Amino acid sequence: MLSLSKTIFKIKSAYLVNGVFYFLKRVPLLKRAISDNVYADSTTKTALSAIFVAIKTLLSFVFSIFYVLLVAVLPVELFSEDIRQGMGSEGALGMGVYVLLILSGVMMLFMESTILNSSKEKYIAIRFMRVRPKDYMKATFLFGKLKLAVGFYLGISVMVFIFSGISLRSLGRAFVILLVLMSFRFLGEAFQLMTSKKLKRSLFRNTKLVMIVMLIALIVAYGLPLFYVYQKGEFWQFSTLLLRGVCSPVGVILSLLVIAFSLYYIYQRFSSWQRVTMMNLKQEYIQVDGKKTAAATFKEVEMKESDLTVNQRRMAVINKKKGYAYFQALFFARHNRLLFHPVLIRLAIIWVCVALSAITILFVPEFKKPFLALPNYLPVLVFIMYVINTGQKSTKAMFYNCDNSMLKFNFYRKPGVILKNFNIRLRYVMLYNFPISVSICLGVMVLTALSGGEIFTRDLLLLYICVLMLSVLFCVHHLFLYYVLQPYTTDLAIKNPLYRLISQGMYILCFVSYQIRRGGFAFTLIVLGVTVVYSAVALVLVYKFSPKYFRVK
């Protein structure tokens, strides 16, 4: 079994190191410095694989700490000072444990299975190397759970330190809380195997079920305590009792029994390994050489025959246009379902959130205070505006349903034509995203007015401008990457490492902004400045480089 574990580790490491080499060789400044012989240098690859795996493991631990802080600690800290003082350290820690057990314990019974999950190395080992599914599980299962447990222990320890102080007792309590949490994870693995065998399908792959469970879990984890605190009184009395129960000898014994039962079922009782594993080890579940991503991306923007028919009123407007203005107007008219329906979904979500917040303000006056300080939440809006922007989906539709074919013609690759189409498309993409940004601004106005505040203060006016400018920024960002880097290939894959690097960099910047607790006038000015400068630089680069690099690859 140890030799099999080493083999799986080598496969995983080879994928990781070769992927890094491939990425570096695609970077213009580095591709000449790295020769193809580096793929055959086993000594270098072994050393690098150890370093990369160590870095990846450390990053997973850091992510676990941030996850616990974001999911369990931050919601407790958002309560008012009076409520937090009433909780006490035990009540606050109990609230964190309650949220963590619901979202990372109970919810994961239905949403995750590391045993049945698919991966490249698992596909290679079982499909090509003829490793038995149960042997593969034995070689990887406990190690994976150990890594997960270490990450959670670090995160839970930080949570306990925050609420109860640093001490040996806190370390012990963190371990006991971890034990209870991991009992849910082990039970979830046994539950997924059991249901997969009986139902002949895996619950964690049922998207509708997963979404329903996630919604219920979020309501129970956050909505129930919130309602109870502001309507009934002290929810932390329950959370304190929960903490005592979790840390009691009975809680420890029950957790150990659940883990023991789960391991016994997984290792001894379950026998349908071949059938259940192969049911989940389908190629469409695995990204092999980018094929899954390409297929999924194309499916996302695939047109139906009905999309080709445009209603007469809109067609009459389009017929008045000439040249490429007509061409792009017809393109966006035929893609109305693909591009405008996601906008409608976002608008519905925004106004449902506004309606629920308005009801909360009317029936729970204590909630007026946070809504009077909405400009301070601009850091959160930066991340939200990035996530809800539809620019990336628009560029996918442009390539798969238009440019993939049109760029084969010389007239379509002329600099003047490329830049003209870019300008027209940018206006359409901004037009699609405009209702989203306006709705957010109107929602802020409504909630501020209901809370008794002024809707046209200096800070709020800057907030409105920032939201509108951020919408423009992310539209420019996606079209800039598309026209300058053109990451898509004729076989519908994304193979431009610089595109991935810049995209991930923008995501990380927005996510870092999301972690900032409070904004302010200075932060608002910084966001405006960055937005204007980035948009200007991006447009200059598009005009300079897109005629050269906007090609089919």
Side-chain angles (χ1 to χ4, degrees):
M1 200 58 61
L2 184 61
S3 61
L4 179 58
S5 300
K6 291 180 179 179
T7 302
I8 295 169
F9 175 78
K10 288 179 181 178
I11 295 173
K12 190 181 297 186
S13 301
Y15 259 110
L16 181 60
V17 176
N18 289 342
V20 172
F21 286 154
Y22 178 81
F23 175 85
L24 294 176
K25 283 180 68 62
R26 300 279 295 185
V27 176
L29 297 177
L30 298 176
K31 60 183 179 181
R32 292 183 179 179
I34 302 174
S35 66
D36 292 334
N37 295 330
V38 73
Y39 291 102
D41 190 346
S42 59
T43 304
T44 303
K45 289 177 68 174
T46 301
L48 288 176
S49 65
I51 295 172
F52 292 155
V53 169
I55 293 173
K56 189 176 180 180
T57 303
L58 289 174
L59 288 177
S60 70
F61 293 159
V62 172
F63 174 80
S64 297
I65 295 172
F66 275 111
Y67 171 79
V68 174
L69 291 175
L70 182 65
V71 169
V73 177
L74 181 60
V76 178
E77 293 293 329
L78 289 177
F79 281 110
S80 65
E81 189 66 30
D82 294 338
I83 293 176
R84 290 206 304 273
Q85 288 179 356
M87 287 183 185
S89 61
E90 293 293 287
L93 179 58
M95 282 282 288
V97 171
Y98 167 79
V99 171
L100 201 60
L101 290 181
I102 295 295
L103 297 184
S104 297
V106 178
M107 187 173 75
M108 289 301 164
L109 290 172
F110 302 89
M111 292 182 59
E112 185 181 75
S113 174
T114 55
I115 291 178
L116 297 180
N117 208 10
S118 303
S119 64
K120 292 178 181 177
E121 57 271 15
K122 185 176 183 179
Y123 188 85
I124 291 171
I126 294 176
R127 287 281 190 180
F128 300 138
M129 299 175 63
R130 304 299 181 185
V131 174
R132 293 192 305 169
K134 188 172 183 178
D135 291 339
Y136 184 90
M137 182 277 298
K138 289 180 178 179
T140 59
F141 175 61
L142 289 180
F143 177 77
K145 289 300 179 188
L146 177 62
K147 189 169 74 170
L148 178 69
V150 172
F152 266 122
Y153 181 69
L154 294 173
I156 294 171
S157 297
V158 173
M159 179 179 71
V160 177
F161 292 161
I162 291 173
F163 291 132
S164 301
I166 302 175
S167 65
L168 290 176
R169 181 172 180 264
S170 295
L171 290 174
R173 297 179 87 181
F175 182 79
V176 173
I177 295 168
L178 171 72
L179 188 66
V180 176
L181 179 63
M182 292 306 297
S183 69
F184 281 98
R185 291 304 185 101
F186 280 99
L187 181 63
E189 298 291 348
F191 175 70
Q192 289 288 342
L193 288 175
M194 193 181 302
T195 53
S196 295
K197 178 183 178 181
K198 292 185 177 181
L199 301 177
K200 296 182 180 180
R201 61 179 302 181
S202 298
L203 293 181
F204 72 98
R205 297 199 187 278
N206 188 328
T207 306
K208 292 182 179 179
L209 175 65
V210 167
M211 295 301 294
I212 292 171
V213 170
M214 186 183 297
L215 180 62
I216 294 173
L218 289 171
I219 292 173
V220 173
Y222 296 124
L224 188 61
L226 203 60
F227 173 79
Y228 198 92
V229 166
Y230 286 104
Q231 291 293 327
K232 302 293 183 180
E234 300 178 346
F235 182 83
W236 48 88
Q237 291 179 345
F238 167 76
S239 66
T240 303
L241 289 175
L242 174 68
L243 178 64
R244 292 174 182 172
V246 166
C247 296
S248 68
V250 175
V252 174
I253 292 171
L254 285 176
S255 300
L256 290 173
L257 288 175
V258 169
I259 293 174
F261 164 77
S262 302
L263 290 174
Y264 172 72
Y265 180 81
I266 293 169
Y267 281 86
Q268 299 296 328
R269 293 294 302 275
F270 187 74
S271 57
S272 303
W273 286 103
Q274 190 69 24
R275 180 169 62 84
V276 171
T277 301
M278 301 311 289
M279 181 175 67
N280 286 278
L281 202 63
K282 297 177 181 178
Q283 195 164 11
E284 56 262 34
Y285 295 147
I286 307 164
Q287 181 181 331
V288 180
D289 297 330
K291 291 179 181 177
K292 179 193 171 186
T293 301
T297 303
F298 181 72
K299 192 72 177 177
E300 183 185 357
V301 293
E302 188 177 18
M303 294 183 67
K304 297 180 180 179
E305 190 172 345
S306 58
D307 293 331
L308 299 176
T309 304
V310 183
N311 65 67
Q312 293 182 353
R313 182 179 298 179
R314 188 165 185 178
M315 200 65 213
V317 176
I318 294 173
N319 285 332
K320 296 178 182 179
K321 300 179 183 293
K322 301 294 182 182
Y324 288 104
Y326 172 86
F327 181 78
Q328 296 299 337
L330 185 60
F331 171 84
F332 281 97
R334 289 177 170 176
H335 286 76
N336 192 62
R337 177 185 62 85
L338 293 171
L339 300 180
F340 191 61
H341 281 199
V343 173
L344 294 177
I345 293 172
R346 287 160 171 78
L347 292 176
I349 293 172
I350 289 169
W351 286 108
V352 166
C353 292
V354 171
L356 292 176
S357 300
I359 293 170
T360 305
I361 290 171
L362 293 174
F363 289 96
V364 188
E366 292 87 348
F367 264 92
K368 290 183 178 180
K369 187 176 179 181
F371 289 103
L372 291 172
L374 285 176
N376 292 329
Y377 296 96
L378 179 60
V380 178
L381 275 177
V382 172
F383 181 73
I384 292 174
M385 291 299 295
Y386 175 78
V387 171
I388 65 177
N389 190 275
T390 62
Q392 187 176 34
K393 186 171 185 178
S394 298
T395 60
K396 292 176 183 177
M398 291 171 193
F399 180 78
Y400 292 129
N401 297 326
C402 179
D403 296 339
N404 189 22
S405 299
M406 293 299 296
L407 282 171
K408 295 173 184 176
F409 299 101
N410 289 331
F411 73 89
Y412 197 77
R413 298 197 302 268
K414 291 181 178 179
V417 173
I418 289 174
L419 295 177
K420 187 176 182 65
N421 282 328
F422 170 81
N423 290 325
I424 297 172
R425 286 172 166 180
L426 180 60
R427 290 198 295 270
Y428 274 105
V429 174
M430 288 193 295
L431 188 63
Y432 275 114
N433 286 275
F434 183 69
I436 299 173
S437 54
V438 170
S439 292
I440 291 176
C441 294
L442 292 175
V444 171
M445 290 181 184
V446 170
L447 297 178
T448 302
L450 289 175
S451 301
E454 294 289 333
I455 61 174
F456 292 115
T457 63
R458 181 196 67 178
D459 289 340
L460 280 174
L461 285 173
L462 284 173
L463 176 69
Y464 304 148
I465 295 171
C466 268
V467 169
L468 295 173
M469 290 297 293
L470 284 169
S471 179
V472 173
L473 167 67
F474 295 129
C475 291
V476 171
H477 168 71
H478 290 299
L479 278 175
F480 153 65
L481 292 184
Y482 176 56
Y483 267 83
V484 173
L485 300 178
Q486 208 301 83
Y488 308 113
T489 62
T490 52
D491 59 351
L492 310 181
I494 300 175
K495 292 187 176 180
N496 191 316
L498 195 56
Y499 173 85
R500 295 182 184 275
L501 186 64
I502 296 176
S503 297
Q504 289 296 320
M506 178 62 80
Y507 176 84
I508 291 170
L509 284 175
C510 294
F511 186 76
V512 169
S513 171
Y514 177 77
Q515 303 303 314
I516 298 174
R517 291 290 299 273
R518 297 177 67 86
F521 182 69
F523 182 83
T524 305
L525 292 180
I526 291 171
V527 170
L528 280 173
V530 170
T531 300
V532 172
V533 171
Y534 184 91
S535 299
V537 172
L539 291 174
V540 170
L541 292 175
V542 167
Y543 273 77
K544 184 174 181 179
F545 293 110
S546 62
K548 180 179 179 182
Y549 294 110
F550 191 58
R551 297 285 187 271
V552 175
K553 301 174 182 177

